[in-house]
Amino acid sequence: MARMAWGAGLTTETPDGTTLDVWYRWFDWGEFGDDEMIKAYPDLDAQLGMREHRDDLRNVIVRPIRLSVDVDAAPVSAADAYLRLHLLSGRLAKPHSIDMNGIFGTLNNAVWTNLGPVAVHELDDVRLRVKQSGQVLHVHGVDKFPRMLDYVVPSGVRIADASRVRLGAHLAEGTVVMHEGFCNFNAGTLGTSMVEGRISAGVVVGDGSDVGGGASIMGTLSGGGTETISIGERCLLGANSGIGISLGDDCAVEAGLYITASTPVLTPDGVVKARQLSGISGTLFIRDGQTGKVIARPRTKSWGELNDALHSRH
């Protein structure tokens, strides 16, 4: 049985019909126009409005959109893809719970500005018109994915730098993303977490875990990787550390230590490749200061846990 989701909002298109973005003001599970949707959002059509309008400064057309999609099938359009990204950032769907295959092929590159998305080939002309109108155009980036906070602001989170979190990131309540922290799409946190390092695409971090400053977690977008990396609950990645394997609960990785799947690791039972320890719980990963060997040993005490004051919802 298909799992349906619907959205209603505004789409920005170029004169040739290329979709630059879609902002869904309303989105939920079910189909647009079904009884549950009408009951929950009785005045939606009146609030959305029916007319399209042209933005002459950016040379785009902004028009209302209403859409229903089957999230268990791959996205077939930019509007479809944007709805899935909204579901993730709006915490209606967790990472890996909906089909995101082929999403890059459905999205179009755009110039993200303070006035909204602009077609890449139009940028210089748009900049001229903006200057002639007495305004200023700020370019935030050129990418297929916009900043999450320009579309969805999930409750109970702190994000120090909006440019560091892509639309499609899933951030649970109590999550703090500091200035150098980063979170990609279809990835994120499942509970209260501190993010001062990098959460790559597809990576999921459990409740009570801390991704230290400069720490990196391998994703699956590059290099043909197929394994989904995850971090369990109450884990610590020390500053400038990194992992290419999953961690279970209550693990810690020493600052500056990078563990790939092929890293030789000394355990109480001998030397193994790190991939054989993927998903292990209650383990401390350190590097011997004299020999340089990577050692995995049972973790005997807590690293101190998160500072509750930093993750307050208020």
Side-chain angles (χ1 to χ4, degrees):
M1 181 177 179
R3 285 191 303 153
M4 303 298 295
W6 65 269
L10 298 170
T11 179
T12 306
E13 299 177 4
T14 63
D16 67 2
T18 299
T19 299
L20 296 180
D21 84 331
V22 185
W23 171 58
Y24 289 104
R25 170 59 182 85
W26 301 272
F27 53 96
D28 210 334
W29 293 109
E31 292 192 62
F32 186 87
D34 66 16
D35 291 342
E36 289 299 318
M37 185 241 119
I38 293 174
K39 181 179 178 181
Y41 305 91
D43 300 322
L44 185 150
D45 267 330
Q47 293 183 63
L48 181 59
M50 299 297 291
R51 293 183 179 179
E52 65 181 46
H53 72 272
R54 184 182 182 86
D55 182 331
D56 290 326
L57 274 180
R58 291 185 292 143
N59 191 28
V60 296
I61 300 166
V62 179
R63 56 169 53 99
I65 185 173
R66 302 157 184 81
L67 185 71
S68 298
V69 303
D70 176 3
V71 299
D72 291 327
V76 296
S77 66
D80 183 341
Y82 267 91
L83 179 52
R84 294 166 199 253
L85 296 173
H86 278 68
L87 290 170
L88 288 162
S89 290
R91 297 198 290 245
L92 292 183
K94 292 182 179 180
H96 307 293
S97 67
I98 58 180
D99 194 336
M100 303 292 283
N101 290 319
I103 190 170
F104 281 95
T106 65
L107 297 174
N108 298 299
N109 228 21
V111 180
W112 304 103
T113 80
N114 58 308
L115 301 181
V118 171
V120 176
H121 68 278
E122 291 264 16
L123 178 59
D124 287 337
D125 290 335
V126 172
R127 198 191 303 274
L128 177 61
R129 288 193 292 270
V130 171
K131 285 184 176 294
Q132 290 172 336
S133 72
Q135 302 182 61
V136 177
L137 187 73
H138 295 290
V139 174
H140 303 309
V142 180
D143 195 7
K144 291 192 172 189
F145 291 79
R147 308 184 302 184
M148 181 184 78
L149 295 184
D150 290 336
Y151 294 78
V152 179
V153 180
S155 61
V157 303
R158 289 170 52 201
I159 300 172
D161 185 345
S163 66
R164 306 286 293 177
V165 181
R166 269 176 154 183
L167 181 63
H170 179 285
L171 300 180
E173 286 214 21
T175 295
V176 175
V177 182
M178 295 302 291
H179 297 77
E180 294 305 316
F182 172 81
C183 190
N184 214 329
F185 78 99
N186 203 25
T189 63
L190 301 182
T192 300
S193 298
M194 172 62 77
V195 183
E196 298 179 277
R198 179 182 182 84
I199 300 178
S200 299
V203 173
V204 178
V205 177
D207 183 42
S209 291
D210 186 330
V211 182
S216 178
I217 309 167
M218 285 188 183
T220 57
L221 288 181
S222 301
T226 57
E227 181 181 351
T228 300
I229 304 297
S230 63
I231 293 178
E233 299 183 354
R234 301 174 301 278
C235 290
L236 170 66
L237 290 188
N240 297 315
S241 65
I243 56 171
I245 62 171
S246 294
L247 299 179
D249 299 334
D250 302 298
C251 290
V253 179
E254 180 186 73
L257 174 59
Y258 207 115
I259 303 171
T260 67
S262 60
T263 299
V265 180
L266 178 61
T267 75
D269 298 319
V271 177
V272 300
K273 296 292 187 182
R275 66 171 59 91
Q276 295 176 246
L277 302 176
S278 187
I280 194 171
S281 294
T283 301
L284 172 65
F285 292 89
I286 61 174
R287 186 182 295 276
D288 186 282
Q290 293 183 317
T291 67
K293 293 180 178 179
V294 178
I295 301 171
R297 62 176 56 160
R299 191 173 171 196
T300 58
K301 60 180 180 180
S302 168
W303 53 271
E305 302 181 346
L306 299 174
N307 184 335
D308 289 339
L310 293 176
H311 301 269
S312 171
R313 275 65 159 180
H314 307 291

